[in-house]
């Protein structure tokens, strides 16, 4: 797997990811850090379980990273996505984009998370405080 892609059960520090790819030539760095929220569709959330298709998840993330770099002419993109059982407040996904200018960095970061949600095989099962479980589809 590419050094700038990581699929893991372990937590991550978004600042450390930024430090790994930021260099003196970068004029902009844009970071997206998705976390488990405490509510969804009017219900209180207890936890979120994320499942993956191991080999395919990594391959599709690689495609997303390459598309982002090529389409937006940014310097670098780092993507990390967690799987397993996550609690409210836990990190789910981190994306760091470096570029010479902010417009490219912002556009690339938005494209990257939108494309990831579109093609990467990851499934989320949410458990509420009441004990109900539900597999989630695409949501805003």
């Amino acid at each position: 797997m590419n050094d700038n892609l990581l699929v893991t059960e372990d937590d991550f520090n978004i600042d450390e990811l930024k430090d790994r790819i930021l260099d003196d030539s970068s004029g902009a760095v844009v970071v997206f850090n998705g976390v488990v929220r405490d509510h969804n569709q009017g219900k209180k959330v207890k936890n979120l379980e994320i499942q993956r298709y191991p080999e395919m998840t990594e391959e599709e993330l690689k495609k997303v990273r390459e598309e982002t770099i090529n389409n937006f002419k940014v310097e670098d993109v780092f993507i990390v996505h967690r799987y397993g059982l996550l609690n409210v407040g836990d990190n789910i996904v981190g994306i760091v984009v470096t570029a010479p200018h902010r417009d490219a960095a912002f556009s690339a970061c938005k494209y990257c998370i939108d494309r990831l949600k579109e093609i990467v095989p990851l499934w989320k099962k949410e458990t509420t405080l009441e004990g109900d479980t539900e597999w989630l589809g695409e949501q805003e």
Side-chain angles (χ1 to χ4, degrees):
M1 183 180 320
N2 184 300
D3 287 340
N4 291 347
L5 289 175
L6 182 61
V7 180
T8 181
E9 289 184 281
D10 298 329
D11 196 11
F12 60 88
N13 180 307
I14 199 74
D15 289 328
E16 290 175 7
L17 304 181
K18 182 185 77 165
D19 291 345
R20 286 176 63 171
I21 67 170
L22 187 62
D23 65 32
D24 290 342
S25 68
S26 302
V29 59
V30 172
V31 174
F32 174 79
N33 191 178
V35 299
V36 179
R37 65 180 173 264
D38 70 352
H39 67 282
N40 188 32
Q41 298 181 340
K43 297 179 182 176
K44 291 287 189 179
V45 172
K46 178 181 178 184
N47 58 45
L48 186 67
E49 180 184 348
I50 301 175
Q51 295 183 4
R52 68 187 179 120
Y53 185 118
E55 294 79 19
M56 193 174 177
T57 299
E58 283 82 351
E59 283 304 310
E60 293 301 304
L61 280 173
K62 182 179 175 184
K63 284 184 196 174
V64 169
R65 181 178 179 273
E66 290 171 358
E67 286 176 13
T68 303
I69 290 170
N70 293 332
N71 291 341
F72 295 91
K73 309 294 187 226
V74 295
E75 293 169 342
D76 208 346
V77 175
F78 195 113
I79 304 171
V80 59
H81 205 296
R82 293 182 66 195
Y83 63 93
L85 189 62
L86 305 176
N87 294 308
V88 171
D90 285 350
N91 292 317
I92 302 171
V93 59
I95 298 172
V96 180
V97 177
T98 58
H101 304 285
R102 70 180 178 271
D103 287 344
F106 276 112
S107 296
C109 193
K110 181 177 183 334
Y111 174 87
C112 191
I113 189 61
D114 290 346
R115 187 73 170 137
L116 182 156
K117 289 181 145 298
E118 182 180 313
I119 70 167
V120 178
L122 293 158
W123 301 276
K124 298 176 183 177
K125 182 171 69 173
E126 186 176 80
T127 301
T128 66
L129 288 178
E130 292 81 21
D132 300 327
T133 61
E134 180 180 351
W135 288 100
L136 303 178
E138 181 59 35
Q139 300 176 16
E140 290 299 316

